[in-house]
Coordinates of all heavy atoms in Angstrom, one line a residue:
M1 N -7.6 6.5 -1.9 CA -6.5 6.3 -1.0 C -6.3 4.9 -0.8 O -7.2 4.1 -0.4 CB -6.9 7.0 0.4 CG -5.8 7.2 1.3 SD -4.8 8.6 0.8 CE -4.4 9.3 2.3
A2 N -5.0 4.5 -1.0 CA -4.7 3.1 -0.8 C -4.6 2.7 0.7 O -4.3 3.6 1.5 CB -3.3 2.8 -1.5
K3 N -4.8 1.5 1.0 CA -4.7 1.0 2.4 C -3.2 1.1 2.8 O -2.3 1.0 2.0 CB -5.1 -0.4 2.5 CG -6.6 -0.6 2.3 CD -7.0 -2.0 2.5 CE -8.5 -2.2 2.4 NZ -9.0 -3.6 2.5
E4 N -3.0 1.3 4.1 CA -1.6 1.5 4.6 C -0.8 0.2 4.4 O 0.4 0.3 4.2 CB -1.7 1.9 6.1 CG -2.3 3.3 6.4 CD -1.5 4.4 5.7 OE1 -0.2 4.4 5.8 OE2 -2.1 5.3 5.1
G5 N -1.4 -0.9 4.5 CA -0.7 -2.2 4.3 C -0.2 -2.3 2.9 O 0.9 -2.8 2.7
V6 N -1.0 -1.9 1.9 CA -0.5 -2.0 0.6 C 0.7 -1.0 0.3 O 1.6 -1.4 -0.3 CB -1.7 -1.6 -0.4 CG1 -1.2 -1.5 -1.8 CG2 -2.8 -2.5 -0.2
K7 N 0.6 0.2 0.9 CA 1.7 1.1 0.8 C 3.0 0.5 1.4 O 4.1 0.6 0.9 CB 1.4 2.4 1.4 CG 0.4 3.3 0.6 CD 0.4 4.7 1.2 CE -1.0 5.2 1.5 NZ -1.0 6.5 2.1
A8 N 2.8 0.0 2.6 CA 3.9 -0.6 3.4 C 4.6 -1.8 2.6 O 5.8 -1.9 2.6 CB 3.5 -1.1 4.7
R9 N 3.7 -2.6 2.0 CA 4.2 -3.7 1.2 C 5.1 -3.2 0.0 O 6.1 -3.8 -0.3 CB 3.0 -4.5 0.7 CG 3.3 -6.0 0.5 CD 2.1 -6.8 0.1 NE 0.9 -6.5 0.9 CZ -0.3 -6.4 0.4 NH1 -0.5 -6.6 -0.9 NH2 -1.3 -6.2 1.2
E10 N 4.7 -2.2 -0.6 CA 5.4 -1.6 -1.7 C 6.8 -1.1 -1.3 O 7.8 -1.3 -1.9 CB 4.6 -0.5 -2.4 CG 5.1 -0.1 -3.8 CD 5.0 -1.2 -4.8 OE1 4.1 -2.1 -4.7 OE2 5.9 -1.3 -5.7
V11 N 6.8 -0.4 -0.1 CA 8.1 0.1 0.4 C 9.0 -1.1 0.8 O 10.2 -1.0 0.5 CB 7.8 1.0 1.7 CG1 9.1 1.3 2.4 CG2 7.0 2.2 1.3
K12 N 8.4 -2.1 1.3 CA 9.2 -3.3 1.6 C 9.9 -3.9 0.4 O 11.0 -4.3 0.4 CB 8.3 -4.4 2.3 CG 8.9 -5.3 3.3 CD 7.8 -6.1 3.9 CE 8.3 -7.1 4.9 NZ 7.3 -7.9 5.5
R13 N 9.1 -4.0 -0.7 CA 9.6 -4.5 -2.0 C 10.8 -3.6 -2.5 O 11.8 -4.1 -3.0 CB 8.5 -4.5 -3.0 CG 7.6 -5.7 -2.9 CD 6.7 -5.8 -4.1 NE 5.6 -6.7 -3.9 CZ 4.4 -6.4 -3.8 NH1 4.0 -5.2 -4.0 NH2 3.4 -7.3 -3.5
Q14 N 10.6 -2.3 -2.4 CA 11.6 -1.4 -2.8 C 12.9 -1.6 -2.1 O 14.0 -1.6 -2.6 CB 11.2 0.1 -2.7 CG 10.1 0.5 -3.6 CD 9.6 1.9 -3.3 OE1 9.8 2.4 -2.3 NE2 8.8 2.4 -4.3
K15 N 12.8 -1.9 -0.7 CA 14.0 -2.1 0.1 C 14.7 -3.4 -0.4 O 15.9 -3.5 -0.5 CB 13.7 -2.2 1.5 CG 13.4 -0.8 2.1 CD 13.0 -1.0 3.6 CE 12.6 0.4 4.2 NZ 12.1 0.3 5.5
L16 N 13.9 -4.5 -0.6 CA 14.4 -5.8 -1.1 C 15.1 -5.6 -2.4 O 16.2 -6.2 -2.6 CB 13.3 -6.8 -1.2 CG 13.1 -7.7 0.1 CD1 12.0 -8.6 -0.2 CD2 14.4 -8.5 0.4
V17 N 14.5 -4.9 -3.3 CA 15.1 -4.7 -4.7 C 16.5 -4.0 -4.5 O 17.5 -4.4 -5.1 CB 14.2 -3.9 -5.6 CG1 14.9 -3.5 -6.8 CG2 13.0 -4.7 -5.9
A18 N 16.6 -3.0 -3.7 CA 17.8 -2.3 -3.5 C 18.9 -3.2 -2.8 O 20.1 -3.1 -3.2 CB 17.6 -1.0 -2.6
K19 N 18.4 -4.0 -1.9 CA 19.3 -4.9 -1.1 C 20.0 -5.9 -2.0 O 21.2 -6.2 -1.9 CB 18.6 -5.6 0.0 CG 19.4 -6.5 0.9 CD 18.6 -7.1 2.0 CE 19.3 -8.1 2.8 NZ 18.5 -8.8 3.8
Y20 N 19.2 -6.5 -2.9 CA 19.7 -7.6 -3.7 C 20.1 -7.2 -5.2 O 20.5 -8.0 -6.0 CB 18.6 -8.7 -3.9 CG 18.5 -9.5 -2.6 CD1 17.4 -9.2 -1.7 CD2 19.3 -10.5 -2.3 CE1 17.3 -10.0 -0.6 CE2 19.2 -11.3 -1.2 CZ 18.2 -11.0 -0.3 OH 18.0 -11.8 0.9
A21 N 20.2 -5.9 -5.4 CA 20.5 -5.4 -6.8 C 21.9 -5.9 -7.3 O 22.0 -6.4 -8.4 CB 20.4 -3.9 -6.9
D22 N 22.9 -5.7 -6.4 CA 24.2 -6.1 -6.8 C 24.4 -7.6 -7.0 O 25.0 -8.1 -8.0 CB 25.2 -5.6 -5.7 CG 25.3 -4.1 -5.6 OD1 25.0 -3.4 -6.6 OD2 25.6 -3.6 -4.5
K23 N 23.8 -8.3 -6.0 CA 23.9 -9.8 -6.1 C 23.2 -10.3 -7.4 O 23.7 -11.2 -8.1 CB 23.3 -10.4 -4.9 CG 23.4 -11.9 -4.8 CD 23.1 -12.4 -3.4 CE 23.4 -13.9 -3.4 NZ 24.2 -14.3 -2.3
R24 N 22.0 -9.7 -7.7 CA 21.3 -10.1 -8.8 C 22.1 -9.8 -10.1 O 22.1 -10.6 -11.0 CB 19.9 -9.3 -8.8 CG 19.0 -9.6 -10.0 CD 17.7 -9.0 -9.8 NE 16.9 -9.6 -8.7 CZ 16.2 -10.7 -8.9 NH1 16.2 -11.3 -10.1 NH2 15.5 -11.3 -8.0
A25 N 22.7 -8.7 -10.2 CA 23.5 -8.3 -11.4 C 24.7 -9.3 -11.5 O 25.0 -9.7 -12.7 CB 24.0 -6.9 -11.2
E26 N 25.3 -9.7 -10.4 CA 26.4 -10.7 -10.5 C 26.0 -12.0 -11.0 O 26.6 -12.6 -11.9 CB 27.1 -10.9 -9.1 CG 27.9 -9.7 -8.6 CD 28.3 -9.9 -7.2 OE1 28.3 -11.0 -6.7 OE2 28.8 -8.9 -6.6
L27 N 24.9 -12.5 -10.5 CA 24.3 -13.8 -10.9 C 23.9 -13.8 -12.3 O 24.1 -14.8 -13.0 CB 23.2 -14.2 -10.0 CG 23.5 -14.5 -8.5 CD1 22.2 -14.7 -7.7 CD2 24.4 -15.8 -8.4
K28 N 23.3 -12.7 -12.8 CA 22.9 -12.6 -14.2 C 24.1 -12.6 -15.1 O 24.1 -13.3 -16.1 CB 22.1 -11.3 -14.4 CG 20.6 -11.4 -14.2 CD 20.0 -10.2 -14.7 CE 18.5 -10.3 -14.6 NZ 17.8 -9.1 -15.0
A29 N 25.2 -11.9 -14.7 CA 26.4 -11.8 -15.5 C 27.0 -13.2 -15.6 O 27.6 -13.6 -16.7 CB 27.3 -10.8 -15.0
A30 N 27.0 -13.9 -14.5 CA 27.6 -15.3 -14.5 C 26.7 -16.3 -15.2 O 27.2 -17.4 -15.4 CB 27.9 -15.7 -13.0
G31 N 25.5 -16.0 -15.4 CA 24.5 -16.9 -16.0 C 24.1 -18.0 -15.0 O 23.6 -19.1 -15.4
D32 N 24.1 -17.7 -13.7 CA 23.7 -18.6 -12.7 C 22.2 -18.4 -12.4 O 21.8 -17.7 -11.5 CB 24.5 -18.4 -11.4 CG 24.2 -19.4 -10.3 OD1 23.5 -20.3 -10.6 OD2 24.6 -19.1 -9.1
F33 N 21.4 -19.1 -13.2 CA 19.9 -18.9 -13.1 C 19.4 -19.7 -11.9 O 18.3 -19.3 -11.3 CB 19.3 -19.3 -14.4 CG 19.7 -18.5 -15.5 CD1 20.5 -19.0 -16.5 CD2 19.4 -17.2 -15.6 CE1 20.9 -18.2 -17.6 CE2 19.8 -16.3 -16.6 CZ 20.6 -16.9 -17.6
E34 N 20.1 -20.7 -11.4 CA 19.6 -21.5 -10.2 C 19.8 -20.6 -9.0 O 19.0 -20.6 -8.1 CB 20.4 -22.8 -10.1 CG 20.0 -23.8 -11.1 CD 20.9 -25.1 -11.0 OE1 21.6 -25.2 -10.0 OE2 20.8 -25.9 -12.0
G35 N 20.9 -19.8 -9.0 CA 21.2 -18.9 -7.9 C 20.1 -17.8 -7.9 O 19.7 -17.3 -6.8
L36 N 19.7 -17.3 -9.1 CA 18.7 -16.3 -9.2 C 17.3 -16.8 -8.6 O 16.6 -16.1 -8.0 CB 18.5 -15.9 -10.6 CG 19.4 -14.8 -11.2 CD1 19.2 -14.6 -12.7 CD2 19.2 -13.5 -10.5
D37 N 17.1 -18.1 -8.9 CA 15.8 -18.7 -8.4 C 15.8 -18.7 -6.9 O 14.7 -18.7 -6.3 CB 15.7 -20.1 -8.9 CG 15.1 -20.1 -10.3 OD1 14.6 -19.1 -10.8 OD2 15.2 -21.2 -11.0
K38 N 16.9 -18.8 -6.2 CA 17.0 -18.9 -4.8 C 16.8 -17.5 -4.1 O 16.5 -17.5 -2.9 CB 18.3 -19.5 -4.3 CG 18.3 -21.0 -4.7 CD 19.6 -21.7 -4.3 CE 19.6 -23.1 -4.8 NZ 20.9 -23.8 -4.6
L39 N 16.9 -16.4 -4.8 CA 16.7 -15.1 -4.2 C 15.2 -14.9 -4.0 O 14.3 -15.6 -4.6 CB 17.2 -14.0 -5.2 CG 18.6 -13.9 -5.5 CD1 18.9 -12.8 -6.5 CD2 19.4 -13.7 -4.2
P40 N 14.8 -14.0 -3.0 CA 13.4 -13.8 -2.8 C 12.7 -13.3 -4.0 O 13.3 -12.5 -4.8 CB 13.4 -12.7 -1.7 CG 14.8 -12.7 -1.1 CD 15.7 -13.3 -2.1
K41 N 11.4 -13.6 -4.2 CA 10.6 -13.2 -5.3 C 10.5 -11.7 -5.4 O 10.6 -11.1 -6.5 CB 9.3 -13.8 -5.3 CG 9.2 -15.3 -5.7 CD 7.8 -15.7 -5.8 CE 7.7 -17.2 -6.2 NZ 6.3 -17.6 -6.2
N42 N 10.3 -11.1 -4.2 CA 10.1 -9.6 -4.2 C 11.4 -8.8 -4.4 O 11.4 -7.6 -4.4 CB 9.4 -9.2 -2.9 CG 8.0 -9.5 -2.9 OD1 7.3 -9.6 -4.0 ND2 7.4 -9.7 -1.7
S43 N 12.5 -9.5 -4.6 CA 13.8 -8.8 -4.8 C 13.9 -8.5 -6.3 O 14.9 -7.8 -6.7 CB 15.0 -9.6 -4.3 OG 15.2 -10.7 -5.1
S44 N 13.0 -8.9 -7.1 CA 13.0 -8.6 -8.6 C 12.4 -7.3 -8.9 O 11.3 -7.0 -8.4 CB 12.2 -9.7 -9.3 OG 12.1 -9.3 -10.7
P45 N 13.1 -6.4 -9.6 CA 12.5 -5.1 -9.9 C 11.2 -5.1 -10.7 O 10.5 -4.1 -10.7 CB 13.7 -4.3 -10.6 CG 14.6 -5.4 -11.0 CD 14.4 -6.6 -10.2
V46 N 11.0 -6.2 -11.4 CA 9.8 -6.3 -12.2 C 8.5 -6.3 -11.3 O 7.4 -5.8 -11.7 CB 9.8 -7.6 -13.0 CG1 8.5 -7.9 -13.7 CG2 10.9 -7.6 -14.0
R47 N 8.6 -6.7 -10.1 CA 7.5 -6.7 -9.2 C 7.1 -5.4 -8.5 O 6.1 -5.3 -7.9 CB 7.8 -7.8 -8.1 CG 7.8 -9.2 -8.6 CD 8.1 -10.2 -7.6 NE 7.1 -10.4 -6.6 CZ 6.2 -11.4 -6.6 NH1 6.3 -12.3 -7.5 NH2 5.3 -11.5 -5.7
L48 N 8.0 -4.4 -8.8 CA 7.7 -3.0 -8.3 C 6.6 -2.4 -9.1 O 6.4 -2.6 -10.3 CB 8.9 -2.1 -8.3 CG 10.0 -2.4 -7.3 CD1 11.2 -1.5 -7.5 CD2 9.5 -2.3 -5.9
H49 N 5.8 -1.5 -8.5 CA 4.7 -0.8 -9.2 C 4.8 0.6 -8.7 O 4.8 0.9 -7.5 CB 3.4 -1.4 -8.9 CG 2.3 -1.0 -9.8 ND1 1.7 0.1 -9.8 CD2 1.8 -1.7 -10.9 CE1 0.8 0.2 -10.8 NE2 0.9 -0.9 -11.5
N50 N 4.8 1.6 -9.7 CA 4.8 3.0 -9.3 C 3.5 3.3 -8.6 O 2.4 3.0 -9.1 CB 5.0 3.8 -10.6 CG 6.3 3.7 -11.2 OD1 7.3 3.5 -10.5 ND2 6.4 3.9 -12.5
R51 N 3.6 4.1 -7.5 CA 2.5 4.5 -6.8 C 2.6 6.0 -6.4 O 3.8 6.5 -6.3 CB 2.3 3.7 -5.5 CG 1.8 2.3 -5.7 CD 1.6 1.6 -4.4 NE 1.0 0.4 -4.6 CZ -0.4 0.2 -4.7 NH1 -1.2 1.2 -4.5 NH2 -0.9 -1.0 -4.9
C52 N 1.5 6.7 -6.3 CA 1.5 8.1 -5.9 C 2.2 8.2 -4.5 O 1.8 7.5 -3.6 CB 0.1 8.6 -5.9 SG -0.1 10.3 -5.3
K53 N 3.1 9.2 -4.4 CA 3.8 9.4 -3.1 C 2.8 9.8 -2.0 O 3.0 9.6 -0.8 CB 4.9 10.4 -3.3 CG 5.9 10.0 -4.3 CD 6.8 8.9 -3.8 CE 7.9 8.7 -4.8 NZ 8.0 7.4 -5.3
L54 N 1.8 10.5 -2.4 CA 0.9 11.1 -1.3 C -0.3 10.2 -1.0 O -0.7 10.0 0.2 CB 0.3 12.5 -1.8 CG 1.4 13.5 -2.1 CD1 0.8 14.7 -2.7 CD2 2.2 13.8 -0.9
T55 N -0.9 9.6 -2.0 CA -2.1 8.8 -1.8 C -1.9 7.3 -1.9 O -2.7 6.5 -1.4 CB -3.3 9.2 -2.8 OG1 -2.8 9.0 -4.1 CG2 -3.6 10.7 -2.6
G56 N -0.9 6.9 -2.6 CA -0.7 5.5 -2.9 C -1.4 4.9 -4.0 O -1.4 3.7 -4.3
R57 N -2.1 5.8 -4.8 CA -2.9 5.3 -6.0 C -1.9 4.7 -7.0 O -0.9 5.3 -7.4 CB -3.6 6.5 -6.6 CG -4.5 6.2 -7.7 CD -5.1 7.5 -8.3 NE -5.7 7.2 -9.6 CZ -7.0 6.8 -9.8 NH1 -7.7 6.6 -8.7 NH2 -7.4 6.6 -11.0
P58 N -2.3 3.5 -7.5 CA -1.4 2.8 -8.4 C -1.6 3.2 -9.9 O -0.8 3.0 -10.7 CB -1.8 1.3 -8.2 CG -3.2 1.3 -7.8 CD -3.4 2.6 -7.0
R59 N -2.8 3.7 -10.2 CA -3.1 4.1 -11.6 C -3.0 5.6 -11.9 O -3.1 6.4 -10.9 CB -4.5 3.6 -11.9 CG -4.6 2.1 -11.9 CD -6.0 1.7 -12.2 NE -6.2 0.3 -12.3 CZ -7.1 -0.3 -13.0 NH1 -7.9 0.3 -13.7 NH2 -7.1 -1.6 -13.0
G60 N -2.7 5.9 -13.1 CA -2.6 7.3 -13.5 C -1.4 8.0 -12.8 O -1.4 9.2 -12.5
Y61 N -0.3 7.3 -12.7 CA 0.9 7.8 -12.1 C 1.7 8.6 -13.1 O 1.9 8.2 -14.3 CB 1.8 6.6 -11.7 CG 3.1 7.0 -11.0 CD1 3.2 7.4 -9.7 CD2 4.3 6.9 -11.8 CE1 4.4 7.7 -9.1 CE2 5.5 7.2 -11.2 CZ 5.5 7.6 -9.9 OH 6.7 7.9 -9.3
M62 N 2.2 9.8 -12.7 CA 3.0 10.7 -13.6 C 4.4 10.7 -13.1 O 4.7 11.2 -12.0 CB 2.4 12.1 -13.5 CG 1.0 12.2 -14.0 SD 0.3 13.8 -13.7 CE 1.0 14.7 -15.1
R63 N 5.3 10.1 -13.9 CA 6.7 9.9 -13.4 C 7.4 11.2 -13.1 O 8.2 11.3 -12.2 CB 7.5 9.2 -14.5 CG 7.3 7.8 -14.6 CD 8.3 7.2 -15.5 NE 7.8 5.8 -15.8 CZ 8.4 5.0 -16.6 NH1 9.5 5.4 -17.3 NH2 8.0 3.8 -16.8
T64 N 7.1 12.2 -13.9 CA 7.8 13.5 -13.8 C 7.6 14.1 -12.4 O 8.5 14.7 -11.8 CB 7.2 14.6 -14.8 OG1 7.1 13.9 -16.1 CG2 8.1 15.8 -14.9
F65 N 6.4 13.9 -11.8 CA 6.1 14.5 -10.5 C 6.0 13.5 -9.4 O 6.1 13.8 -8.2 CB 4.7 15.2 -10.6 CG 4.7 16.4 -11.6 CD1 4.2 16.1 -12.9 CD2 5.3 17.6 -11.3 CE1 4.3 17.1 -13.8 CE2 5.3 18.6 -12.3 CZ 4.8 18.4 -13.5
G66 N 5.9 12.2 -9.7 CA 5.8 11.2 -8.7 C 4.5 11.1 -8.0 O 4.4 10.5 -6.9
I67 N 3.5 11.7 -8.6 CA 2.1 11.6 -8.0 C 1.1 11.2 -9.1 O 1.4 11.2 -10.3 CB 1.7 13.0 -7.4 CG1 1.9 14.1 -8.5 CG2 2.5 13.3 -6.2 CD1 1.4 15.5 -8.0
S68 N -0.1 10.9 -8.6 CA -1.2 10.5 -9.6 C -1.8 11.7 -10.2 O -1.6 12.8 -9.8 CB -2.2 9.7 -8.8 OG -3.0 10.5 -8.0
R69 N -2.5 11.4 -11.3 CA -3.1 12.5 -12.1 C -4.2 13.3 -11.2 O -4.3 14.5 -11.4 CB -3.8 11.9 -13.3 CG -4.9 10.9 -13.0 CD -5.6 10.4 -14.2 NE -6.5 9.4 -13.9 CZ -7.8 9.7 -13.4 NH1 -8.2 10.9 -13.3 NH2 -8.6 8.7 -13.1
V70 N -4.9 12.6 -10.4 CA -5.9 13.2 -9.5 C -5.2 14.2 -8.5 O -5.6 15.3 -8.4 CB -6.7 12.1 -8.8 CG1 -7.7 12.7 -7.9 CG2 -7.3 11.1 -9.7
T71 N -4.2 13.7 -7.9 CA -3.4 14.5 -6.9 C -2.8 15.7 -7.7 O -2.8 16.8 -7.2 CB -2.4 13.7 -6.2 OG1 -3.0 12.5 -5.7 CG2 -1.8 14.5 -5.1
F72 N -2.2 15.4 -8.8 CA -1.6 16.5 -9.6 C -2.6 17.6 -10.0 O -2.3 18.8 -9.8 CB -1.1 15.9 -10.9 CG -0.5 16.9 -11.9 CD1 0.8 17.4 -11.7 CD2 -1.3 17.4 -12.9 CE1 1.3 18.4 -12.5 CE2 -0.8 18.3 -13.8 CZ 0.5 18.8 -13.6
R73 N -3.8 17.2 -10.4 CA -4.8 18.2 -10.7 C -5.2 19.0 -9.5 O -5.3 20.3 -9.6 CB -6.1 17.5 -11.3 CG -7.1 18.4 -11.8 CD -8.2 17.7 -12.6 NE -9.1 18.6 -13.2 CZ -10.2 19.2 -12.7 NH1 -10.5 18.8 -11.5 NH2 -10.9 20.0 -13.4
D74 N -5.4 18.4 -8.4 CA -5.8 19.2 -7.2 C -4.7 20.1 -6.8 O -4.9 21.3 -6.4 CB -6.0 18.2 -6.0 CG -7.3 17.4 -6.2 OD1 -8.1 17.8 -7.0 OD2 -7.4 16.3 -5.5
M75 N -3.4 19.7 -6.8 CA -2.3 20.5 -6.4 C -2.1 21.6 -7.4 O -1.7 22.8 -7.1 CB -1.0 19.7 -6.3 CG -1.1 18.8 -5.1 SD 0.4 17.7 -5.0 CE 1.6 18.9 -4.4
A76 N -2.3 21.4 -8.7 CA -2.1 22.4 -9.8 C -3.1 23.5 -9.6 O -2.8 24.7 -9.8 CB -2.1 21.7 -11.1
L77 N -4.3 23.1 -9.4 CA -5.4 24.1 -9.3 C -5.2 24.9 -8.0 O -5.6 26.1 -8.0 CB -6.8 23.4 -9.3 CG -7.2 22.8 -10.6 CD1 -8.5 22.0 -10.5 CD2 -7.3 23.9 -11.7
A78 N -4.6 24.3 -7.0 CA -4.4 25.0 -5.7 C -3.1 25.9 -5.8 O -2.8 26.7 -4.9 CB -4.3 24.1 -4.6
G79 N -2.4 25.8 -6.9 CA -1.1 26.5 -7.1 C 0.0 26.0 -6.3 O 1.0 26.8 -6.0
K80 N 0.0 24.7 -6.0 CA 1.1 24.2 -5.2 C 2.3 23.6 -6.0 O 3.3 23.3 -5.5 CB 0.6 23.1 -4.3 CG -0.4 23.6 -3.2 CD -0.8 22.5 -2.4 CE -1.8 23.0 -1.3 NZ -2.3 21.9 -0.5
I81 N 2.1 23.5 -7.4 CA 3.1 23.1 -8.3 C 3.6 24.3 -9.1 O 2.9 24.8 -9.9 CB 2.6 22.0 -9.2 CG1 2.1 20.8 -8.4 CG2 3.7 21.5 -10.1 CD1 1.5 19.7 -9.2
P82 N 4.8 24.7 -8.9 CA 5.3 25.9 -9.6 C 5.4 25.7 -11.1 O 5.9 24.6 -11.5 CB 6.7 26.2 -9.0 CG 7.1 24.9 -8.2 CD 5.8 24.2 -7.9
G83 N 5.0 26.7 -11.8 CA 5.1 26.7 -13.3 C 4.0 26.0 -14.0 O 4.0 25.9 -15.2
V84 N 3.0 25.4 -13.2 CA 1.9 24.7 -13.8 C 0.6 25.6 -13.7 O 0.3 26.0 -12.6 CB 1.7 23.4 -13.2 CG1 0.4 22.7 -13.8 CG2 2.9 22.5 -13.3
T85 N 0.0 25.9 -14.9 CA -1.2 26.7 -14.9 C -2.2 26.0 -15.7 O -1.9 25.2 -16.6 CB -1.0 28.1 -15.4 OG1 -0.4 27.9 -16.8 CG2 0.0 28.9 -14.6
K86 N -3.5 26.3 -15.4 CA -4.6 25.7 -16.2 C -4.6 26.3 -17.6 O -4.6 27.6 -17.7 CB -5.9 25.9 -15.4 CG -7.1 25.1 -16.1 CD -8.2 25.2 -15.1 CE -9.3 24.3 -15.6 NZ -10.4 25.0 -16.3
A87 N -4.7 25.5 -18.6 CA -4.8 26.1 -19.9 C -6.2 26.7 -20.2 O -7.2 26.2 -19.8 CB -4.5 25.0 -20.9
S88 N -6.1 27.8 -20.9 CA -7.4 28.4 -21.3 C -7.1 29.2 -22.6 O -6.1 29.9 -22.7 CB -7.9 29.4 -20.3 OG -7.0 30.4 -20.0
W89 N -8.0 29.1 -23.6 CA -7.8 29.7 -24.9 C -9.1 30.1 -25.5 O -10.2 29.8 -25.0 CB -7.0 28.9 -25.8 CG -7.5 27.6 -26.2 CD1 -8.4 27.2 -27.1 CD2 -7.2 26.3 -25.4 NE1 -8.6 25.9 -27.1 CE2 -8.0 25.3 -26.1 CE3 -6.4 26.0 -24.3 CZ2 -7.9 24.0 -25.6 CZ3 -6.4 24.7 -23.9 CH2 -7.1 23.7 -24.6

């Protein structure tokens, strides 16, 4: 489980990226790299990191479900994810 501060920081970054997305696109199109430098560092989408929506785990993230592999396995075994069953042959 990630610390609450780490999760909050990531949410803050997501808001900044969304806020400056249009301005960043305009500056890039105009080739104004000095203007881009003046934007906040955390407004760059490169600084975002995918995290599990439930636990905040940064590694083993599954894009399709938006959760980590550990959480996915627990939920799949509990039958909480429709259409997912444990393979057996």
